[in-house]
């Protein structure tokens, strides 16, 4: 695996992992406070945000790969 490939993988994983860890932390804090893990009506926004972050990270990694190949 080349150095460029490792960089592209890091670019793809870093925003996704940050989003997942922060969301789980938020949900754990709310559950520890005896409330529901997500506010009412927030599920659709969490799902769309997770898709947006994941696709954005994949697009960014692929653009970086194209840039590094040339």
């Amino acid at each position: 695996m080349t150095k460029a490939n490792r960089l592209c993988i890091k670019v793809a994983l870093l925003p996704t992992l940050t989003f997942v860890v922060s969301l789980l932390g938020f949900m754990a804090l709310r559950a520890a406070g005896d409330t529901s893990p997500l506010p009412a009506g927030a599920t659709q926004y969490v799902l769309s945000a997770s898709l947006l972050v994941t696709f954005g990270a994949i697009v960014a990694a692929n653009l970086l790969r194209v840039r590094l190949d040339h």
Side-chain angles (χ1 to χ4, degrees):
M1 184 178 287
T2 65
K3 201 176 216 183
N5 285 343
R6 281 188 234 120
L7 179 64
C8 291
I9 290 170
K10 288 177 187 175
V11 165
L13 287 179
L14 187 63
T16 307
L17 289 176
T18 303
F19 177 76
V20 168
V21 169
S22 62
L23 180 63
L24 288 176
F26 173 74
M27 291 172 70
L29 284 175
R30 285 187 54 93
D34 292 332
T35 59
S36 67
L38 289 174
T43 305
Q44 65 183 0
Y45 298 112
V46 171
L47 290 175
S48 61
S50 65
L51 286 174
L52 183 68
V53 168
T54 303
F55 286 137
I58 291 169
V59 167
N62 284 327
L63 289 174
L64 179 62
R65 183 179 311 264
V66 167
R67 174 96 171 136
L68 292 175
D69 284 343
H70 291 292

